[in-house]
Amino acid sequence: MEFALVLFIIPFAVMILSLAGSWLIHKIWVMPVLMLLILIFLTMTIFNDTFTIWVSIYTVLSILVSYFGKTGRDLYEKNKKEKEH
């Protein structure tokens, strides 16, 4: 079960939450910092110390997804403004 959790469920949740957060908040760094704090908390409470490697990977994934989400939001708003004029 931990294998599926680490390789499928947590990365999917990180991507969805990072995309939604960057789309709604318009800030790139809010969701990656929040994900980092949540994952460190999970490392200390549920998982063992070897999960810290995954914490760094998921934080980088969150940064990338947040960047792409904010870029997509900016392009969406730019195209929306161009169509109105």
Side-chain angles (χ1 to χ4, degrees), residues 2 6 13 17-19 41 52 54 57-58 68 76 82-83:
E2 285 185 12
V6 170
L17 291 173
S18 296
L19 186 62
F41 177 76
T52 55
W54 290 106
I57 292 170
Y58 295 150
F68 290 133
Y76 172 76
E82 287 177 359
K83 288 182 180 180

Side-chain angles (χ1 to χ4, degrees), residues 21-40:
S22 65
W23 189 267
L24 296 173
I25 300 172
H26 301 278
K27 303 286 183 193
I28 293 176
W29 296 104
V30 173
M31 289 310 292
V33 169
L34 186 63
M35 286 293 123
L36 178 64
L37 293 174
I38 290 170
L39 291 170
I40 288 174

